[in-house]
Amino acid sequence: MKVADQLEGEIRALEKSLAALRAAIAQAAGARDDTEADLAHVRQRLAAKTAEALPDDAAIRGRLDTAIDSAFAAARTALAERWNQIVELLKTACQKVDGELTAKRRAHGRALDEIERQRQRERLAAG
């Protein structure tokens, strides 16, 4: 019985860990989207300030806008890759915890089966 109780505690802990990992995946995916939106906002502000600072020089504004676009495209790509790596690490952790949870549940089931078999043997022996 002690083994079954211990396994129940481990199962609860693993379930909490799995839930926390799944929440972290959702949060990371949301952060990735928020980062994209933040970059787009900053890029728009820079373009607006550039236009404001150089109202009569379209050629310079065009070159600056191209440079800004290029820099922000690189930043978006790098940050998206990093967020994707984080999400993939969290997914891998989920798979590992889920595998461990499955193993613990099976062990718990076997422990409960053994307890039931022991009780049946005791009943048969008692008579």
Side-chain angles (χ1 to χ4, degrees):
M1 193 64 172
K2 183 178 178 181
V3 171
D5 290 342
Q6 181 181 355
L7 286 168
E8 282 180 18
E10 291 175 16
I11 288 169
R12 281 192 299 276
L14 287 168
E15 287 171 339
K16 286 180 184 179
S17 295
L18 190 56
L21 285 167
R22 288 180 175 151
I25 289 170
Q27 189 174 17
R32 179 180 50 213
D33 295 341
D34 290 346
T35 298
E36 177 74 24
D38 290 345
L39 285 172
H41 178 73
V42 171
R43 192 256 167 254
Q44 289 171 345
R45 289 185 65 197
L46 278 173
K49 291 294 182 181
T50 300
E52 184 181 306
L54 301 165
D56 298 324
D57 201 334
I60 293 175
R61 272 196 330 267
R63 287 191 300 275
L64 287 173
D65 284 344
T66 299
I68 291 168
D69 287 342
S70 177
F72 276 86
R76 275 193 310 273
T77 299
L79 289 170
E81 286 175 10
R82 182 61 65 193
W83 280 118
N84 288 338
Q85 288 172 346
I86 291 168
V87 168
E88 287 305 312
L89 286 171
L90 289 168
K91 285 181 179 179
T92 299
C94 272
Q95 290 171 343
K96 290 179 181 179
V97 170
D98 193 42
E100 184 66 22
L101 182 57
T102 299
K104 294 290 182 183
R105 285 178 174 154
R106 286 182 184 143
H108 183 253
R110 288 190 301 272
L112 292 177
D113 289 346
E114 180 57 35
I115 291 168
E116 184 57 31
R117 283 191 295 276
Q118 181 63 31
R119 286 180 182 159
Q120 287 176 355
R121 286 190 294 270
E122 289 172 0
R123 276 183 259 157
L124 287 173

